[in-house]
């Protein structure tokens, strides 16, 4: 449609191509900027970047050289997608941006690549120049400019300390073993899991197969992706979460429609149970892939016993189909995510039906506190350390252990080392965190009595 707009302007208004592209780009950027969804609003900058690049190419304007010749911290007012993709990712130590948002292209790239990124840092860029020493502490969100020798020594000591925990088990001083796994969102992320010495994958988000495309992924594509991850992880556990789409994750081809309260709407397991053909395709791929490694399947957004019974019935149907087709398969360990107060309150009954629980603390906090975690205006009220949330976690652990089932945490609280000791005292069996957080959490576990 943008091509048509440009063509019409050039033909009907007798303007040059650069002007037509610029005006059309502004119009589309404004359209994205006025959308309700935070993620889609952030795409306004991407559209503007594309039109600016096109205008530059049309006018023969020379492009800036973004080659970073040695490992560096990239400090800028903001970065456009075209600027970011030109950089050698192997030579980026961190991003520090004065402006931008958590949904910006650079921030998303940084999360995917496990590169520390600080957004909204009030720096006077004019006072900086290349070659200045700096430290970025992504965990605590601190930027040290011209650090003194003491700060440098502390950071180097911290790096050395973490390196000492590579190859070690995550065991407390009293001998309590915790399974320390990693969360990933793509096949390529397995490299970060192995690099950071995670003991397995506690949350493999399968949404990457469904997003950013015009049609559903078929069984073969899914099977190949799941098999590849399982083979790369050898005999280490890989927990794959079934399709968790809806709310803030959109796929237009599914025709989900606009909802007033998407976080409380048609999402995750609800879509799978309402559209069983989609669910069966994924389950067929998963059961086939289970022959190639240590797979566990995890179902998101469970609120009732009836849902789990329905899921198990569909799994049995899929297994029967594969059996009749003489296709090799295996029914692996199956568990559910505990993300709703309903699931917490029914934890004892649910534990009888599944092999494990994984607590999604991000959504559990949202639903327990009745706070939309995407709404920035509510930041002061959103408290994942709220005693009600922590009691929910403890109740879940007790419900699972009553029936001999293991429990993990895969939400962001799993990496919160101020709570690690409390979680272990509650009886948690597993923590799954972003790959870059594995060694920090392991050091905390190993230092505990």
């Amino acid at each position: 449609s943008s091509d048509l707009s440009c063509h019409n302007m050039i033909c009907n208004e007798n303007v040059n191509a650069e002007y037509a592209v610029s005006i059309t780009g502004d119009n589309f950027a404004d359209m994205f900027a006025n959308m309700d969804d935070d993620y889609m609003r952030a795409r306004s900058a991407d559209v503007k970047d594309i039109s600016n690049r096109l205008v530059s190419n049309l006018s023969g304007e020379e492009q800036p050289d973004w080659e970073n010749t040695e490992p560096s911290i990239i400090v800028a007012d903001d970065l456009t997608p075209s600027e970011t993709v030109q950089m050698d990712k192997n030579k980026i130590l961190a991003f520090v941006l004065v402006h931008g948002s958590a949904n910006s292209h650079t921030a998303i790239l940084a999360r995917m690549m496990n590169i520390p990124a600080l957004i909204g840092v009030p720096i006077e860029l004019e006072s900086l120049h290349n070659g200045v020493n700096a430290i970025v502490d992504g965990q605590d969100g601190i930027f040290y400019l011209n650090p003194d020798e003491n700060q440098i020594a502390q950071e180097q000591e911290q790096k050395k300390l973490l390196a000492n925990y590579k190859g070690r088990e995550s065991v407390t001083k009293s001998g309590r073993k915790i399974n320390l796994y990693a969360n990933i969102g793509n096949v390529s992320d397995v490299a970060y899991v192995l690099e950071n010495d995670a003991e397995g994958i506690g949350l493999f988000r399968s949404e990457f197969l469904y997003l950013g495309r015009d049609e559903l992924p078929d069984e073969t594509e899914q099977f190949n992706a799941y098999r590849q991850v399982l083979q790369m992880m050898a005999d280490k556990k890989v927990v794959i979460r079934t399709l968790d789409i809806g709310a803030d994750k959109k796929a237009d081809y599914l025709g989900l429609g606009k909802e007033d309260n998407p976080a409380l709407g048609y999402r995750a397991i609800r879509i799978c149970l309402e559209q069983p053909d989609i669910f069966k395709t994924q389950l067929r791929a998963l059961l086939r892939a289970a022959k190639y490694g240590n797979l566990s399947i995890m179902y998101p957004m469970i609120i009732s016993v009836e849902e789990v019974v329905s899921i198990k019935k569909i799994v049995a149907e899929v297994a029967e189909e594969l059996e009749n087709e003489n296709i090799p398969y295996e029914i692996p360990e199956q568990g559910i995510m505990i993300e709703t107060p309903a699931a917490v309150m029914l934890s004892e009954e649910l534990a009888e039906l599944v092999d494990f629980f994984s607590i999604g603390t991000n959504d559990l906090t949202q639903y327990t506190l009745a706070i939309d975690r995407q709404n920035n205006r509510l930041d002061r009220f959103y408290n994942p350390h709220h005693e009600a949330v922590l009691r929910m976690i403890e109740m879940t652990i007790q419900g699972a252990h009553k029936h001999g089932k293991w429990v993990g945490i895969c939400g962001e609280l799993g990496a919160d080392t101020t709570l690690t000791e409390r979680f272990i005292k509650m009886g948690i069996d597993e923590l799954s965190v972003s790959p870059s957080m594995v060694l920090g959490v392991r050091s905390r576990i190993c230092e505990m009595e």
Side-chain angles (χ1 to χ4, degrees):
S1 60
S2 59
D3 288 344
L4 289 173
S5 300
C6 291
H7 185 268
N8 289 341
M9 286 183 72
I10 293 168
C11 293
N12 299 333
E13 300 179 30
N14 295 321
V15 297
N16 64 21
E18 293 93 319
Y19 179 84
V21 169
S22 180
I23 294 298
T24 304
D26 286 346
N27 290 339
F28 276 90
D30 288 343
M31 182 179 76
F32 277 95
N34 290 314
M35 289 184 177
D36 293 335
D37 183 75
D38 287 342
Y39 178 84
M40 296 306 290
R41 274 201 302 274
R43 305 286 68 80
S44 173
D46 297 353
V47 172
K48 190 65 182 161
D49 176 43
I50 293 167
S51 67
N52 287 343
R53 293 275 296 173
L54 187 51
V55 169
S56 296
N57 289 339
L58 288 167
S59 62
E61 186 180 310
E62 193 172 328
Q63 299 300 323
D65 181 10
W66 276 99
E67 184 182 1
N68 37 319
T69 55
E70 58 184 81
S72 309
I73 295 170
I74 307 298
V75 182
D77 182 68
D78 200 357
L79 290 171
T80 62
S82 60
E83 289 169 337
T84 307
V85 297
Q86 289 179 69
M87 298 177 185
D88 183 346
K89 307 305 179 295
N90 294 320
K91 293 176 182 173
I92 300 173
L93 299 176
F95 290 110
V96 178
L97 304 181
V98 178
H99 295 105
S101 75
N103 287 312
S104 71
H105 181 92
T106 303
I108 292 168
L109 176 72
R111 286 196 290 271
M112 286 173 58
M113 300 287 289
N114 286 303
I115 297 172
L118 303 183
I119 312 292
V121 181
I123 311 169
E124 293 292 335
L125 293 175
E126 296 76 14
S127 64
L128 293 181
H129 58 83
N130 290 342
V132 173
N133 285 330
I135 294 173
V136 172
D137 184 338
Q139 186 168 345
D140 293 327
I142 301 171
F143 179 51
Y144 299 103
L145 191 58
N146 288 314
D148 58 38
E149 289 183 13
N150 186 43
Q151 288 170 325
I152 293 173
Q154 283 180 349
E155 288 297 318
Q156 289 174 337
E157 187 60 34
Q158 183 66 10
K159 265 189 171 181
K160 248 191 265 178
L161 179 72
L162 293 184
N164 289 338
Y165 287 95
K166 270 199 171 184
R168 289 179 60 176
E169 283 198 314
S170 305
V171 181
T172 66
K173 288 180 178 178
S174 61
R176 174 82 196 285
K177 172 75 174 79
I178 304 297
N179 289 318
L180 185 54
Y181 297 160
N183 299 333
I184 63 170
N186 208 318
V187 176
S188 60
D189 292 341
V190 175
Y192 302 118
V193 176
L194 299 173
E195 181 187 336
N196 289 278
D197 197 38
E199 296 156 28
I201 294 172
L203 171 60
F204 180 23
R205 304 176 181 92
S206 62
E207 291 77 63
F208 78 96
L209 288 162
Y210 296 82
L211 297 171
R213 60 192 297 156
D214 299 321
E215 59 184 8
L216 286 162
D218 63 22
E219 181 182 328
T220 301
E221 181 184 353
Q222 293 193 57
F223 166 70
N224 287 334
Y226 304 145
R227 180 182 62 179
Q228 187 178 352
V229 171
L230 287 162
Q231 289 176 328
M232 290 168 75
M233 291 299 292
D235 61 343
K236 292 182 177 178
K237 186 182 287 293
V238 177
V239 181
I240 299 180
R241 181 177 69 186
T242 58
L243 179 60
D244 186 1
I245 217 163
D248 58 328
K249 288 171 282 190
K250 302 287 194 295
D252 291 340
Y253 60 85
L254 286 176
L256 302 181
K258 184 173 171 57
E259 295 181 295
D260 290 337
N261 293 299
L264 304 178
Y266 188 52
R267 58 173 296 195
I269 202 66
R270 297 165 187 178
I271 294 174
C272 291
L273 291 176
E274 282 286 302
Q275 301 187 53
D277 288 348
I278 294 174
F279 195 29
K280 280 188 169 184
T281 299
Q282 182 169 34
L283 288 171
R284 281 177 63 96
L286 286 165
L287 265 59
R288 288 174 57 197
K291 298 288 289 183
Y292 294 86
N294 186 359
L295 173 66
S296 297
I297 303 176
M298 179 160 69
Y299 306 108
M301 274 295 289
I302 298 298
I303 62 168
S304 71
V305 166
E306 290 75 20
E307 286 172 340
V308 177
V309 170
S310 297
I311 290 166
K312 294 186 85 170
K313 184 180 175 188
I314 294 171
V315 170
E317 289 170 4
V318 167
E320 188 178 356
E321 288 172 10
L322 292 169
E323 186 78 38
N324 293 337
E325 295 168 35
N326 290 318
I327 296 174
Y329 76 94
E330 195 172 294
I331 298 179
E333 183 181 52
Q334 297 175 77
I336 61 173
M337 286 193 73
I338 304 294
E339 304 172 89
T340 64
V344 174
M345 301 309 293
L346 294 174
S347 57
E348 285 190 31
E349 292 91 328
L350 291 167
E352 291 187 78
L353 299 172
V354 299
D355 300 309
F356 69 93
F357 290 158
S358 188
I359 304 170
T361 56
N362 304 352
D363 269 336
L364 182 60
T365 303
Q366 169 173 253
Y367 297 130
T368 300
L369 303 183
I371 288 177
D372 178 2
R373 61 191 176 98
Q374 305 288 331
N375 188 336
N376 295 336
R377 291 177 64 185
L378 300 175
D379 282 354
R380 61 173 289 203
F381 301 105
Y382 184 84
N383 175 19
H385 287 214
H386 196 293
E387 191 58 34
V389 176
L390 297 176
R391 289 186 195 178
M392 289 269 184
I393 293 169
E394 188 166 24
M395 190 182 297
T396 301
I397 294 169
Q398 290 170 350
H401 285 177
K402 193 164 185 179
H403 294 281
K405 307 301 168 65
W406 66 268
V407 192
I409 294 175
C410 64
E412 287 184 21
L413 275 191
D416 188 335
T417 52
T418 67
L419 290 172
T420 305
E421 187 167 353
R422 183 163 179 180
F423 288 150
I424 291 174
K425 284 179 178 174
M426 287 179 185
I428 203 72
D429 303 294
E430 177 251 13
L431 294 169
S432 192
V433 302
S434 66
S436 60
M437 303 297 288
V438 168
L439 294 176
V441 175
R442 179 174 294 156
S443 69
R444 182 75 188 93
I445 293 170
C446 293
E447 289 161 13
M448 283 177 53
E449 293 299 334

